[in-house]
């Protein structure tokens, strides 16, 4: 057989056998390798690879190394990357529904966060679908708590303090507290503190640990005000191009990743608070005054959100409270 005939034979075999199509998926994610979200996604990638005999092979590019956090969604929408992860509330300017998990004290425990996700999932996946994106799964960070440089019992002590924000809601909360917010990506937290751009933040104990918060803050006030989620989505045309078996394998692994991620998140809450304490941080509960002010702010922000989100928002809250 001539070389030409052999090559033609191979080409015919490839075309006639869709199971041989190779899907190498580069997956941009915003957070570092030590973060449980990233570890959960690595396991998801392993499970997809295994279930498809390697025909869907996901390579995770963590910590914004392939696309910066702010570019990941558009990269997937435009097909520059087939699949990606972002913080859901990053998209709140596009549709208020993406911000429903970042309203202080609306859903502050895992049970409440789960009920809120049940009530909002269809709206979130519908809003993604409009952009040609298919939602695969979402996983919450542990409750958001304050990292400060001194013991704060009176809300007035926070006035004028510079504050690291990571989305619109954290920025708004800071404004309502009289603080001075600056948006900083999680990976840039240590530099933002060490160069004096910020002096406080609200985030999970997980991000506190991964950014070594004890190096530049001393007090952790355990308010656990909300549980913002990361979500993983895929370009819908890329998903459509898979075989039925491959698509089913991806969806099954996604379901498993969501369940596993929520468990990992729950487990992190206590272990990472303990790690902060072990590293020398003072862990304390909020004073009554501070708790009252934060809860007032939560109500203001819930009203503002509802005004923006209109009927769709009201329907989510109704379903949530009915749960
Ligand atoms: N960590 C991320 C988002 C919420 C969280 O707990 C961050 O601080 O950027």
């Amino acid at each position: 057989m001539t070389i030409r005939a052999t090559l033609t034979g191979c080409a015919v075999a490839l075309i006639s056998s869709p199971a041989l199509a190779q899907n190498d998926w580069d997956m941009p994610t915003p957070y570092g390798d030590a973060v449980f979200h990233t570890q959960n996604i690595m396991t998801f990638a392993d499970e997809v690879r295994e279930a498809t005999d390697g025909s869907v092979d996901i390579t995770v590019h963590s910590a914004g190394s392939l696309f910066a956090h702010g570019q990941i969604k558009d990269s997937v929408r435009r097909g520059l990357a087939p699949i990606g992860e972002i913080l859901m509330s990053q998209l709140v300017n596009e549709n208020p529904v993406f911000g429903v998990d970042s309203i202080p004290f609306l859903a502050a425990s895992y049970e409440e966060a789960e009920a809120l996700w049940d009530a909002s999932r269809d709206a979130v996946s519908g809003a993604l679908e409009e952009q040609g994106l298919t939602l695969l799964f979402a996983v919450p960070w542990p409750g958001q708590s304050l990292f400060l440089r001194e013991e704060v019992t009176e809300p007035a002590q926070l006035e004028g303090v510079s504050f690291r924000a990571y989305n619109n809601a954290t920025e708004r909360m800071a404004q309502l507290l009289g603080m001075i917010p600056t948006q900083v990506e999680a990976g840039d937290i240590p530099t933002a503190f060490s160069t004096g751009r910020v002096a406080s933040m609200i985030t999970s104990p997980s991000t506190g640990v991964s950014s070594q918060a004890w190096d530049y803050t001393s007090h952790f006030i355990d308010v656990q005000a909300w549980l913002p989620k990361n979500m993983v989505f895929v370009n819908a045309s890329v998903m459509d191009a898979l075989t039925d078996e491959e698509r089913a394998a991806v969806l099954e692994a996604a379901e498993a990743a969501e369940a596993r991620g929520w468990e990992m998140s729950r487990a992190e809450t206590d272990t990472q608070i303990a790690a902060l304490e072990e590293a020398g941080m003072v862990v304390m509960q909020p004073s009554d005054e501070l708790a009252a002010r934060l809860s007032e702010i939560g109500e203001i922000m819930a009203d503002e959100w509802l005004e923006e989100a209109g009927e769709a928002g009201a329907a989510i809250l109704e379903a949530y409270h009915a749960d």
Side-chain angles (χ1 to χ4, degrees):
M1 207 191 294
T2 63
I3 288 177
R4 193 191 175 100
T6 313
L7 287 177
T8 311
C10 285
V12 168
L14 279 173
I15 290 161
S16 62
S17 163
L20 288 180
Q22 182 58 39
N23 302 278
D24 289 320
W25 287 4
D26 285 312
M27 177 169 186
T29 74
Y31 304 99
D33 286 347
V35 172
F36 76 94
H37 286 286
T38 312
Q39 290 168 356
N40 187 37
I41 285 171
M42 301 270 194
T43 307
F44 164 74
D46 289 344
E47 289 187 355
V48 169
R49 196 176 302 113
E50 221 164 274
T52 60
D53 286 331
S55 73
V56 180
D57 190 356
I58 301 174
T59 304
V60 179
H61 300 269
S62 61
S65 57
L66 188 59
F67 291 107
H69 194 179
Q71 296 169 352
I72 292 176
K73 193 271 293 176
D74 276 336
S75 304
V76 178
R77 190 177 54 80
R78 294 165 58 200
L80 300 176
I83 184 171
E85 177 203 32
I86 62 165
L87 184 74
M88 187 173 109
S89 53
Q90 199 199 52
L91 303 185
V92 69
N93 288 339
E94 297 184 6
N95 187 329
V97 80
F98 292 119
V100 72
D101 66 4
S102 296
I103 300 165
F105 304 108
L106 177 65
S109 67
Y110 281 90
E111 290 67 32
E112 289 176 334
E114 211 172 328
L116 185 61
W117 184 220
D118 284 347
S120 55
R121 183 183 195 120
D122 287 351
V124 167
S125 82
L128 289 174
E129 229 170 88
E130 279 170 22
Q131 302 197 33
L133 300 170
T134 303
L135 174 71
L136 288 181
F137 62 93
V139 171
W141 291 90
Q144 305 293 292
S145 292
L146 288 164
F147 291 76
L148 303 165
R149 285 187 167 160
E150 58 172 354
E151 179 171 342
V152 168
T153 52
E154 293 295 327
Q157 284 173 268
L158 296 171
E159 281 168 25
V161 176
S162 57
F163 179 88
R164 178 260 169 174
Y166 62 74
N167 63 6
N168 287 14
T170 47
E171 201 167 321
R172 180 65 183 139
M173 193 195 76
Q175 280 165 355
L176 290 165
L177 284 164
M179 304 180 84
I180 302 159
T182 306
Q183 298 254 3
V184 175
E185 276 301 317
D188 299 328
I189 291 173
T191 310
F193 275 91
S194 66
T195 56
R197 282 174 66 211
V198 297
S200 65
M201 62 180 170
I202 190 160
T203 187
S204 57
S206 310
T207 297
V209 168
S210 64
S211 58
Q212 304 202 311
W214 49 85
D215 285 343
Y216 43 82
T217 61
S218 54
H219 288 69
F220 175 84
I221 305 191
D222 189 16
V223 289
Q224 301 194 28
W226 69 93
L227 288 78
K229 288 184 295 294
N230 285 358
M231 60 181 182
V232 170
F233 47 83
V234 58
N235 181 295
S237 339
V238 170
M239 196 69 171
D240 286 347
L242 296 179
T243 64
D244 290 348
E245 292 76 20
E246 286 167 337
R247 200 174 313 111
V250 170
L251 292 175
E252 194 177 319
E255 206 178 313
E258 179 152 315
R260 185 176 57 240
W262 281 71
E263 279 317 307
M264 292 170 94
S265 180
R266 252 178 218 271
E268 286 252 325
T269 307
D270 290 342
T271 55
Q272 302 296 59
I273 292 176
L276 293 171
E277 199 161 21
E278 198 142 301
M281 291 196 69
V282 178
V283 171
M284 54 191 293
Q285 294 305 308
S287 67
D288 291 348
E289 290 79 2
L290 185 59
R293 180 68 189 129
L294 290 172
S295 117
E296 245 170 52
I297 286 174
E299 274 164 36
I300 294 171
M301 289 176 62
D303 288 347
E304 290 175 348
W305 180 83
L306 195 52
E307 193 151 312
E308 292 258 312
E311 267 173 43
I316 290 173
L317 294 190
E318 200 175 308
Y320 169 54
H321 291 304
D323 195 77

